[in-house]
Each structure stands twice: as C-alpha cells, then as structure tokens.
Amino acid sequence: MAVALFQRLFGKPLPRSQAAAERLSGFYALPILSSDALSSVAYATEATLGVLILAGSGALELSLPITLAIIALIVVVVFSYRQTIKAYPDGGGSYVVARENLGVWPSLVAAASLLVDYVLTAAVSLMAGTQALTSLLPDLLPFQVPISLALLLVVGWANLRGVKDAGRIFAIPTYAFVVMVALLAIAGFADLIGSHGFQPDPPPLIKAVEPLGLFLILRAFSSGCSAMTGIEAIANGVKVFREPAVRTARNTMLVMGLLLAAMFVVISGLGYVYGIAPNASQTVMAQIGIKVFGAHNPLFWGLQISTLLILVFAANTAFADFPRLAGLLARDRFLPMQLAWIGDRLVFQNGIALLVSASAVLILICQGNTLLAVNLYALGVFMAFTLSQSGMVKHWWRLRGAGWFGSLLTNGIGAISTFVVWVVIVVSKFDEGAWTIVIAIPALVFILAGIRRRYRRVFQALAINSADQQRVQLPARRDPIGNISIVWLPAWREPMRQALRYAVTVSDRVIAVWVRSDGEDPEAIRQTWLNFVEDDANLELQILESPFASCIDPFVDFVSSQEQEVDGGMLTIVMPVAVPRRPFDSLLLNQRAINLHFALAARHNRIFTLVRYYLPA
C-alpha cells in the first residue's frame, strides 16, 4: 500500500537503461534550464528604476542605456558559455572548469558561490511569485510564508518525479510568459506607431533624495544585472539534452540569450517611452501592461498570471543545477557521499531534498520579503562567471589547437567583463547586505575543504592494514555448523575484511555480495577479491547488476532468494559498520548500511550481525 502510494506520488522507478530516454529535446530543456534567466526580466528593469528614482524622475531616462549595457554583457556571457559547452560536453559548470584549470581552491570558491546563489534563486523566485499573487489577492497577504513554502514543496515534488516530467510541467508557464511578452511588444509597437508616437511621456514628478553620480548609476547597473542569474544553467546541464547534446545545448543557449535580450529591451523600452516609474502598489510590468492592453483587458490578466507562474517556476533552474553540483562535490568528497546518489527516478533526490530544506529556512528567515535576498542575488553568480571564464582562458591556452585564439579571446573578454561587474556589485551593494555573501562564501569553502580532509582521514583509517598479509579463508574441515552467511560488500576496506573473517568462523559457506554501480569493472572487482581471499568453493563473490539506480534492492532480493533455498538451515546477514568517534562522521559514513538494515527488516529477515570497526580518534 505504502509503495503504491509512493509510486503514485513520485512515479515508478526508471531503469538505468532509460536514462537516455529521460533526456530532453531543446524545446523542453529550454524551460527547465532557462526559466530563472527568462523570468528575471519581470523584475530586472524595476530593480534598475528603483535605484535611479533616488536621484529624481529625471534620472529614469538612464534606464535605457543601462539596459543596453547589460544586454551587451549578456551577449558576451552567452557566447562565452557556448565555448564552455563545446569544451566540456559532459557539463561545463563553473566548478568543473575551475577544478580542471585553476585548481582546488578556485573551484571551491566557484562551487560555494553557485550553491549560495541556487538557494537564493529558489527562495527569491518563490517569494516573488507569492508577492505577485498577494498583489492580485490582498486577502492572502498574511499567508505569504505558508504559500511560499507550499509552492516550494510543489516544485520539489515535480523534480523528484524526474527530469522529463519536470520539463513537461514547466514548459507551459515559461512559453506562456514568452508569448505574453511578445504580445506586449506587438501591441505596444502598434500603439506607438498608430496613436502614441515615439516621443517619451514624462514620468511622474518625484523629488531626488540622492545626487545623481557615478556611484548611483553603478548601483542601478548592478541591480539590473539580476537579469543574468541562471544564464550558466544550460552549460551545467548538457547531460540533460538528447543527442547530439552539445549542438542542442549550444543552440538552446543562443535561443535563451536572444529571448532574454529581446524581452529585456521590450520591457525597458516600453517603460521608458510610457514614462513608467516604480511605485509600491503596482509593478513596472503591471503598469506597462495597463498602458498597452488596458486594465480590464484579458491580455493584461494573462500577462500578470504568466508572470506569476514563471516567477514561481523560475525556482526550477536551481532545482535542475543545485543537486547536480552537489552530486559532483560529493563524488569529489567535498560533501557527504549520499548527495551523489541517484534515485529511482534518475535524479539526485538527496540534493533536491537539501535544496528544499535550505530554501525553506531562507524563506522563514526573510518572512516572505525578497528585499534583502535580491540585494545578494547576482553576487555569487558573477563570481562563478569570472572563475569559469578564467578557467576557459587557461584551457584554450593549454590546448592551442585549431581556432584556439578566437576561443581564448571570447572567454577572456567574458572573464574581464564579469569580474568588473562583480567588483561593482560588491562595492555598490556592500552596505545593503552584500557583506553577508562576502563572509558566507569563504565560510562555505572552509566547510567543503574540511569535509574533504575528514574523508581522507577516515578512508586512511578504513584502509586495508598492509602489515596484515593473511588472506581470508575458511577454517580447516570441521563438522557442519548449519549456517550460511551473506556479507554486504560495498567497498574493499578493513571493515569489510573483518566482516568476512567473522563470517567464515560461524558459517559453512560465505557469500560476499557486491552490487555493481555504473562504471565499475567486474573483472577489477574479482581481481581485488582474489588478492585478499583464498580461492575456495565455499567462500564466493557474487557481483549483482542493478537495472535501477538502487544498490539496495538487488541485495535484498538476493537475500530473499537465498532464504528460499535454505532447507532447515540458518541464514545470517553480516553487515560491516564503521563506528565513528566524532558525531559529524555519522553523516559521512554508513548511510547505505542503515538504509539496507531497514530494507531487510521490512522483509522480516531474522538474523543480522553487525561487525563493528571502530575508527581511531
């Protein structure tokens, strides 16, 4: 009953052989990877105007040149990441590029920057979408936090169902928003030609509270750069695309850049021509929609609803990339290994759960108010941009193959441009909260490096004792004991050897079971086995294949089949467990053993033996 309910909620398990079928065409990949970038045009112009208005209504005319400068930067970054996709067909995220070209510490800075930015992306998008809803329905204002948390759970649930299902769910609102902005552009241009003319309306008269100077212009520019969050998502997620994945990803990156630039120009341009100024009661998008469509026109409501939906679903870009990045860090032992596990729906389910938890904490801290989080929004991503593009410069210089100089120049311009913008954001936003990110990123880097150091020490402690040359073997002939032992063998380390040594003392026959994951060579596993275990018919290794992502289910099924074969005898399941000395080590070790114990208990297996191996302090 519980299994049926779980599968109804999250879908049936998908075999690994279907991983390629779970990949997406460019049509579905665009909304799942670009909803964050495309949705940013709903608030980027408003963010720029919100700073310029401090210098009075006359300063609003600078919004157009600032928009054009940001679009030029978008062009540079898009073409830079197209180069990255070509060089890294398995996914060229900032962490991977920096790790391979700049070293460990720059790669950790890039990873920490993106992890922080993805959490901000999810939380801010959902809170902004909730604010759009409460603007339409003011009675819901006291319930902003519960609504944001409910939307967070919906987005998390959709992603746990798998990549393909998420792509289908998020395609409709993303394309609906693009269509509504296109209709806004067509109707607005027709109005300008037919009746309004191209002479800009004067904005409402607003008195200046700050002088118009370079610093304020830079602040407005850095606020408008929130339009660029999420651009790197396609380069991170090349493996999401169907083959030819590289070509499809590069084309999708170009389409996303064109759509983003075009929509940004439309909204900023119409806002300038119609003399729109930010106010507390209506968003800039809503004011433009009323000017173009009319307040009671169904198209205006369509614009607002599509804006609401894409702001909510923009969080999906974070859900597409945060779990993947966390998985890469976990494989490199900078995060707990369970974050690298792929669930039955072929997604990083633990990474999704972690993002839901972190985003929920941020929503509760902010109490649904996006003001502080928006000020921090672009800081992490521009640091990641800079490190990624700098890494690509070194990549092309090292290769120096055909066409290398043009590629190096493209990425070099991208590195310099994004670094300058990062400095501008830090300086202009420091007093508005950017200092917290300046502190948080180094702190997170320290944590990641600390996890890696601890894993190294733990694995050294678990390593086979090289001084002990004695092989595991069954004792000399004796009277039958009437017991068969099955030993869970996840890796060849000292706890596993101790478990085997125990098993041979209490059994007539010992079966060590290794469930093979992707990329593991069966012959290499057998050779390692023979190096440490005597060749004996009653001391055998079983290598199981898993058609699904789970390594636990094949072991549980094997135990069940052996129980049916035992005729009056006993079956003992021997599980090696490393006993940590430090509380934090429990997060790093034994997670699969714990899950395996629960799974076997659910099948009513009777005899368990835990062979404990105590780690040194």
Side-chain angles (χ1 to χ4, degrees):
M1 183 75 175
V3 174
L5 178 61
F6 184 87
Q7 291 185 354
R8 186 175 293 274
L9 284 174
F10 298 107
K12 294 180 180 179
L14 296 173
R16 286 174 175 166
S17 58
Q18 198 173 323
E22 278 292 290
R23 294 189 174 196
L24 303 173
S25 64
F27 180 83
Y28 283 115
L30 179 66
I32 200 172
L33 294 176
S34 300
S35 54
D36 179 24
L38 296 179
S39 69
S40 64
V41 301
Y43 51 78
T45 299
E46 186 160 13
T48 302
L49 296 177
V51 176
L52 290 175
I53 198 65
L54 298 175
S57 54
L60 297 180
E61 63 183 15
L62 293 175
S63 64
L64 210 51
I66 288 174
T67 296
L68 294 177
I70 295 172
I71 287 174
L73 189 61
I74 290 172
V75 171
V76 169
V77 172
V78 165
F79 278 93
S80 296
Y81 272 107
R82 277 171 54 85
Q83 297 291 96
T84 304
I85 293 170
K86 180 172 67 174
Y88 289 88
D90 290 333
S94 299
Y95 169 68
V96 173
V97 176
R99 181 190 62 193
E100 295 190 7
N101 296 286
L102 302 178
V104 173
W105 288 104
S107 72
L108 290 183
V109 173
S113 301
L114 285 176
L115 288 174
V116 170
D117 194 71
Y118 290 146
V119 175
L120 285 167
T121 294
V124 169
S125 298
L126 293 168
M127 289 188 292
T130 301
Q131 288 177 342
L133 176 63
T134 55
S135 297
L136 290 173
L137 302 170
D139 290 343
L140 296 178
L141 196 59
F143 307 104
Q144 279 189 325
V145 173
I147 292 171
S148 297
L149 293 174
L151 293 173
L152 175 65
L153 292 176
V154 169
V155 177
W157 163 77
N159 279 272
L160 285 171
R161 286 190 60 87
V163 171
K164 182 178 284 187
D165 283 357
R168 290 180 180 137
I169 292 170
F170 298 127
I172 295 174
T174 301
Y175 285 120
F177 179 71
V178 172
V179 169
M180 290 310 305
V181 174
L183 292 175
L184 184 72
I186 294 169
F189 193 67
D191 178 56
L192 296 180
I193 293 175
S195 58
H196 183 279
F198 288 90
Q199 182 65 32
D201 293 336
L205 189 61
I206 299 173
K207 187 178 179 179
V209 295
E210 291 186 22
L212 178 62
L214 179 60
F215 187 74
L216 188 135
I217 294 172
L218 291 177
R219 284 173 58 194
F221 173 79
S222 62
S223 295
C225 283
S226 59
M228 298 184 62
T229 56
I231 284 182
E232 81 290 345
I234 292 174
N236 291 347
V238 178
K239 284 189 173 182
V240 168
F241 292 87
R242 288 179 188 163
E243 295 296 339
V246 171
R247 186 175 68 189
T248 306
R250 281 167 58 86
N251 291 340
T252 305
M253 173 69 79
L254 185 60
V255 171
M256 184 272 293
L258 290 172
L259 287 174
L260 175 59
M263 292 193 296
F264 198 12
V265 165
V266 166
I267 294 169
S268 294
L270 290 176
Y272 171 71
V273 173
Y274 285 116
I276 302 297
N279 64 60
S281 60
Q282 284 183 323
T283 64
V284 167
M285 280 280 288
Q287 293 181 66
I288 295 172
I290 291 172
K291 289 280 188 179
V292 173
F293 296 132
H296 303 293
N297 192 311
L299 290 176
F300 170 68
W301 285 93
L303 176 67
Q304 289 300 98
I305 292 172
S306 65
T307 302
L308 161 66
L309 291 176
I310 197 172
L311 280 170
V312 171
F313 291 136
N316 193 65
T317 297
F319 278 89
D321 277 348
F322 180 96
R324 191 176 295 110
L325 175 58
L328 289 173
L329 289 166
R331 285 171 188 161
D332 292 339
R333 304 297 185 258
F334 290 111
L335 284 174
M337 289 186 295
Q338 55 265 37
L339 289 172
W341 297 351
I342 296 177
D344 286 338
R345 295 293 295 175
L346 304 180
V347 294
F348 294 98
Q349 58 187 21
N350 292 331
I352 293 173
L354 178 60
L355 179 57
V356 169
S357 302
S359 301
V361 169
L362 188 58
I363 289 170
L364 290 171
I365 291 173
C366 294
Q367 285 297 295
N369 187 347
T370 61
L371 182 60
L372 174 61
V374 165
N375 284 332
L376 313 178
Y377 210 11
L379 190 60
V381 77
F382 271 93
M383 172 57 72
F385 283 167
T386 301
L387 290 170
S388 175
Q389 301 313 308
S390 299
M392 288 304 302
V393 169
K394 187 173 181 180
H395 171 84
W396 297 122
W397 176 258
R398 187 176 66 248
L399 293 183
R400 279 180 276 190
W404 70 274
F405 184 76
S407 298
L408 183 148
L409 185 63
T410 300
N411 289 122
I413 294 172
I416 294 171
S417 302
T418 53
F419 177 72
V420 169
V421 174
W422 181 82
V423 172
V424 168
I425 294 173
V426 170
V427 173
S428 63
K429 297 287 186 180
F430 192 82
D431 291 338
E432 299 177 44
W435 63 269
T436 59
I437 299 299
V438 174
I439 294 173
I441 289 176
L444 185 53
V445 168
F446 177 79
I447 292 171
L448 296 175
I451 292 174
R452 172 73 172 269
R453 284 194 301 271
R454 187 56 189 160
Y455 262 127
R456 284 178 173 173
R457 291 172 185 168
V458 167
F459 287 155
Q460 286 174 359
L462 294 175
I464 295 292
N465 183 1
S466 59
D468 185 356
Q469 300 296 326
Q470 184 179 0
R471 288 185 172 187
V472 177
Q473 57 185 339
L474 282 171
R477 289 197 172 273
R478 62 189 178 188
D479 293 335
I481 299 173
N483 182 60
I484 297 174
S485 289
I486 299 177
V487 182
W488 165 250
L489 200 65
W492 193 256
R493 295 195 177 98
E494 192 61 32
M496 291 71 197
R497 188 163 72 160
Q498 296 295 336
L500 284 170
R501 283 181 168 173
Y502 167 78
V504 299
T505 64
V506 298
S507 310
D508 301 317
R509 180 185 173 204
V510 176
I511 307 171
V513 178
W514 186 298
V515 182
R516 189 171 73 89
S517 59
D518 285 342
E520 288 185 326
D521 183 5
E523 290 305 317
I525 296 170
R526 289 191 183 93
Q527 187 57 50
T528 304
W529 167 266
L530 292 175
N531 289 339
F532 295 98
V533 177
E534 288 289 343
D535 189 9
D536 191 304
N538 291 320
L539 183 56
E540 63 181 279
L541 172 68
Q542 286 281 345
I543 300 177
L544 305 181
E545 302 289 336
S546 177
F548 300 98
S550 173
C551 292
I552 293 175
D553 290 344
F555 182 83
V556 174
D557 292 339
F558 178 81
V559 170
S560 298
S561 68
Q562 292 299 308
E563 283 185 325
Q564 293 173 7
E565 294 180 10
V566 174
D567 185 15
M570 300 298 293
L571 189 69
T572 300
I573 301 159
V574 180
M575 298 172 62
V577 175
V579 180
R581 300 284 185 172
R582 300 181 182 181
F584 178 74
D585 288 348
S586 299
L587 296 176
L588 307 182
L589 299 170
N590 300 324
Q591 297 299 317
R592 273 215 171 105
I594 293 170
N595 293 336
L596 179 61
H597 189 279
F598 283 126
L600 289 167
R603 296 282 188 96
H604 305 290
N605 300 100
R606 290 183 295 170
I607 303 176
F608 298 93
T609 299
L610 297 181
V611 178
R612 296 175 174 86
Y613 181 83
Y614 289 89
L615 289 171

